[in-house]
Amino acid sequence: SGRALQVLITRSVTRTARWYFSSQDALPAALELEPEAAIDEFRLMFENWKSWQGIVFPERVGIVDPATEQVRWLRITAAVGKQETGK
């Protein structure tokens, strides 16, 4: 994306996570997770952070296909609104 990111690495037994943060805010821009040595990592990207009734969430979550490097974007805003109307 051309922007400078800072990386926070966390480990738990066999899992390693790399959280990528922009220097402009404290919300993650991406996550790479290596579940185990024999399993491929997966990558998520986060965009357009929103706040709804005190809950902070990314409006778009990108799932990176490891074979092609293409990103498939999911929208989250509509799901949050539907959950509220189902009360």
Side-chain angles (χ1 to χ4, degrees), residues 21-81:
F21 294 88
S22 162
S23 59
Q24 298 165 343
D25 56 46
L27 300 170
L31 165 66
E32 291 181 354
L33 181 63
E34 298 173 13
E36 296 178 16
I39 299 174
D40 288 339
E41 73 178 15
F42 67 85
R43 293 183 287 161
L44 300 175
M45 299 170 66
F46 309 107
E47 288 190 350
N48 302 338
W49 285 88
K50 304 288 183 183
S51 178
W52 177 76
Q53 295 189 353
I55 300 169
V56 178
F57 62 94
E59 183 179 38
R60 291 174 17 117
V61 175
I63 302 169
V64 181
D65 182 330
T68 64
E69 295 294 316
Q70 291 185 342
V71 180
R72 181 177 189 167
W73 290 99
L74 303 174
R75 290 187 58 98
I76 294 181
T77 305
V80 172

Side-chain angles (χ1 to χ4, degrees), residues 4-8 19-23:
L5 298 175
Q6 297 179 357
V7 182
L8 171 67
W19 294 89
Y20 295 87
F21 294 88
S22 162
S23 59

